[in-house]
Amino acid sequence: MAKHAVGWLPFQRRWLLALLVMLSLSMAIAFLMKTAFDSCDRQFEVVQKPLRSITASPIKATTDNPLSFMKSKLVLLVSHELSLSGGPLLLMELAFLLRSVGAEVCWITIQKSSGTDEVIYSLEQKMLVRGVQVLPPRSQEAIGNALKADMVVLNTAVAGKWLDIVPKEHIPRVLPKLLWWIHEMRGHYFKLDYVKHLPLVAGAMIDSHVTAQYWKNRTQERLRIKMPATYVVQLGNSNELMEVAEDSVAKRVLREHIRESLGVRDEDILFAIINSVSRGKGQDLFLRSFYESLQLIQGKKLQVPSVHAVIVGSDVTAQTKFETELRDYVIQKKLQDRVHFVNKTLTVAPYLAAVDVLVQNSQARGECFGRITIEAMAFQLPVLGTAAGGTTEIVVNGTTGLLHPVGKEGVTPLAKNMVKLATHVQTRLTMGKRGYQRVKQMFLEHHMAHRIAMVLQEVLSNSKGHNHS
């Protein structure tokens, strides 16, 4: 666990950290996903039957809010859960974007624990403060809002079961104005009970091209159903996170604080993996690669500063089997002084400011998008990612980072890539700068707002046409 030093800053710096903590929600609404495309410049695409593109004009920052047409519109947001994971946090960000233009926004969480959950309470309070109404999922008020809403946004595939539980006999009135936002890449989400209504909704919005194509193929082959009009919308970094990423003083202060708390010197090289600890995120394989990289450095007698690894997203209180495996491996390989565990947190910016390289090691089909990737690029960090999922659309291999295979086959390539970046400072810095330039071109909040606005306009138009028919 990270050691939190006391009195680490002189008084004049404390105001800066206080400000950064206040911004923590906006910075972490991307913790996953939680946030580019390969070398292509497609800003917005609709995947239909057959595939066709909608050409978008170049997206530039303007004083006009692209979502202003949503003013006074009633939008119902339905999430399968409320947690610190990518899907719910991203939907919350959409709620705040809509509220900023005067839309009336209601929120429903389908799965909630019976007891008091501090995380859920805190997130609900943040929404209430921003004017988002939080409704009981099965209440009459929820049904009423579903019927009178101008648009319903269903978040994640799992949320599909809400349709059969709450609107029930009113489903035909809800589907024509329903936008289904899908983030999943795992095969076990392809259940007919979840997605049987998918062909009849107004549209599906998916975070990456590879995920959209996967859903199109899988629904046809396995479930014998067709996707509706499917919009690929890449994510963007929040304005608050970019402010910190572009503030050299803030980054220096945060770097000093985090490195001191971890016991890492300024000249040491720090690799980070920032994801909820689970086998699918690949922390176990990351540790194996890290150990192998140390062996390579020692075997080749390379002259490099001390190399460290930090795993952000741990949960020691959960005491899961996987978490225990990770800690046991560190002890077995005598890496206690080199590997640092940090509990999952909303405040990821300090760690991005403190580290030298981000490792995105998600396994199987990879991340749907992986928003932490574009956050790291905003902080001018090179990214070592698995060649799978949305990461292949964000990281330009050899330019903004390096890709390696998923699974055990990727352990040695990742280790070699870690050694390469540890020993070539200029390569590390150049990749980081190019990643930042890519973010500025494609992955800012106004980019994402424009892309979402295009989808919402089309869904609203189609919904009106259906109501008039």
Side-chain angles (χ1 to χ4, degrees):
M1 294 300 299
K3 302 178 287 295
H4 297 283
V6 178
W8 61 275
L9 284 176
F11 175 78
Q12 60 266 34
R13 290 180 176 177
R14 295 181 185 273
W15 66 269
L16 179 58
L17 284 184
L19 176 62
L20 294 171
V21 170
M22 291 173 62
L23 298 174
S24 62
L25 175 64
S26 297
M27 292 187 293
I29 278 178
F31 184 58
L32 36 207
M33 296 182 97
K34 110 169 167 288
T35 178
F37 301 124
D38 41 25
S39 57
C40 66
D41 287 325
R42 290 173 294 181
Q43 311 256 357
F44 170 89
E45 182 173 302
V46 57
V47 182
Q48 286 190 319
K49 326 162 232 170
L51 298 179
R52 69 178 181 87
S53 297
I54 290 181
T55 303
S57 57
I59 298 173
K60 299 179 181 179
T62 64
T63 54
D64 298 328
N65 193 312
L67 289 165
S68 58
F69 67 92
M70 293 297 293
K71 182 179 181 180
S72 301
K73 294 287 192 298
L74 173 59
V75 182
L76 177 63
L77 306 179
V78 183
S79 184
H80 77 287
E81 67 175 11
L82 186 54
S83 66
L84 300 183
S85 57
L89 292 176
L90 189 58
L91 191 66
M92 281 182 61
E93 186 167 355
L94 176 59
F96 299 152
L97 287 173
L98 292 172
R99 284 294 301 143
S100 70
V101 297
E104 184 180 353
V105 182
C106 298
W107 176 286
I108 288 173
T109 304
I110 301 173
Q111 299 174 359
K112 292 179 69 173
S113 57
S114 55
T116 302
D117 186 299
E118 291 184 4
V119 171
I120 293 177
Y121 177 80
S122 174
L123 295 177
E124 285 185 345
Q125 290 304 307
K126 290 180 184 297
M127 286 194 284
L128 291 170
V129 168
R130 301 284 286 270
V132 178
Q133 302 176 53
V134 179
L135 307 176
R138 304 192 184 195
S139 64
Q140 194 62 41
E141 191 176 5
I143 298 173
N145 276 275
L147 296 178
K148 68 181 181 180
D150 296 286
M151 183 181 299
V152 177
V153 180
L154 201 61
N155 200 41
T156 74
V158 181
K161 56 189 176 184
W162 176 79
L163 290 168
D164 292 311
I165 296 172
V166 180
K168 292 182 181 178
E169 65 270 17
H170 303 297
I171 289 177
R173 293 176 57 187
V174 175
L175 294 182
K177 57 184 178 182
L178 193 148
L179 176 64
W180 208 322
W181 204 354
I182 296 173
H183 315 284
E184 295 94 337
M185 282 284 280
R186 305 291 182 263
H188 61 269
Y189 291 111
F190 291 89
K191 294 182 180 179
L192 203 55
D193 285 347
Y194 293 158
V195 298
K196 62 185 177 184
H197 299 296
L198 190 54
L200 300 177
V201 303
M205 188 163 67
I206 298 181
D207 307 332
S208 65
H209 294 274
V210 66
T211 309
Q213 191 62 49
Y214 177 66
W215 269 84
K216 180 178 182 292
N217 296 339
R218 186 97 179 198
T219 49
Q220 286 181 348
E221 295 168 4
R222 298 292 183 90
L223 302 180
R224 306 301 180 193
I225 63 175
K226 292 185 177 181
M227 292 289 290
T230 302
Y231 307 89
V232 176
V233 175
Q234 317 98 10
L235 310 180
N237 287 326
S238 69
N239 292 335
E240 290 84 356
L241 181 126
M242 293 303 299
E243 287 176 6
V244 179
E246 295 175 336
D247 187 328
S248 59
V249 175
K251 287 198 296 184
R252 185 172 68 251
V253 171
L254 291 171
R255 179 182 175 90
E256 291 174 3
H257 167 51
I258 294 299
R259 285 185 168 244
E260 183 174 337
S261 71
L262 296 174
V264 177
R265 299 171 302 177
D266 184 62
E267 64 270 23
D268 292 343
I269 300 171
L270 186 53
F271 292 86
I273 184 167
I274 305 178
N275 282 113
S276 297
V277 169
S278 69
R279 204 170 299 278
K281 302 299 183 181
Q283 286 91 352
D284 53 341
L285 299 177
F286 165 67
L287 286 178
R288 288 173 56 181
S289 296
F290 178 69
Y291 177 73
E292 192 170 313
S293 72
L294 296 178
Q295 298 298 105
L296 289 171
I297 290 171
Q298 183 179 8
K300 295 182 179 181
K301 298 181 180 179
L302 301 174
Q303 298 299 312
V304 296
S306 181
V307 181
H308 293 252
V310 58
I311 295 176
V312 181
S314 181
D315 188 358
V316 67
T317 59
Q319 295 183 332
T320 64
K321 179 182 178 182
F322 184 67
E323 179 100 25
T324 303
E325 286 179 14
L326 297 180
R327 294 172 184 270
D328 287 346
Y329 181 85
V330 169
I331 295 171
Q332 176 193 342
K333 299 298 184 181
K334 297 180 172 58
L335 297 173
Q336 296 95 317
D337 294 334
R338 299 259 193 174
V339 177
H340 314 272
F341 291 90
V342 175
N343 271 352
K344 54 187 176 181
T345 174
L346 277 173
T347 315
V348 296
Y351 296 95
L352 294 174
V355 307
D356 300 293
V357 180
L358 179 83
V359 177
Q360 175 62 280
N361 207 40
S362 294
Q363 298 299 303
R365 297 180 184 88
E367 291 286 331
C368 177
F369 185 82
R371 199 173 181 191
I372 190 65
T373 305
I374 59 172
E375 290 182 321
M377 290 161 63
F379 278 79
Q380 301 191 32
L381 300 180
V383 177
L384 300 180
T386 46
T391 303
T392 62
E393 299 177 9
I394 302 173
V395 177
V396 181
N397 192 30
T399 300
T400 67
L402 297 168
L403 300 177
H404 58 274
V406 298
K408 295 177 182 178
E409 294 77 12
V411 170
T412 296
L414 174 56
K416 291 180 179 178
N417 288 343
M418 293 171 79
V419 172
K420 180 177 181 178
L421 293 190
T423 54
H424 294 83
V425 178
Q426 194 56 48
T427 299
R428 202 164 68 231
L429 296 177
T430 300
M431 284 183 170
K433 289 178 181 178
R434 288 173 177 169
Y436 169 75
Q437 292 167 358
R438 188 163 171 80
V439 165
K440 293 289 283 186
Q441 292 170 356
M442 301 180 69
F443 301 112
L444 298 178
E445 184 174 287
H446 75 265
H447 294 136
M448 184 173 73
H450 272 86
R451 293 166 189 150
I452 292 177
M454 293 175 69
V455 177
L456 299 188
Q457 280 184 317
E458 185 154 328
V459 170
L460 280 176
S461 177
N462 292 343
S463 175
K464 290 178 181 178
H466 184 275
N467 291 336
H468 292 156
S469 62

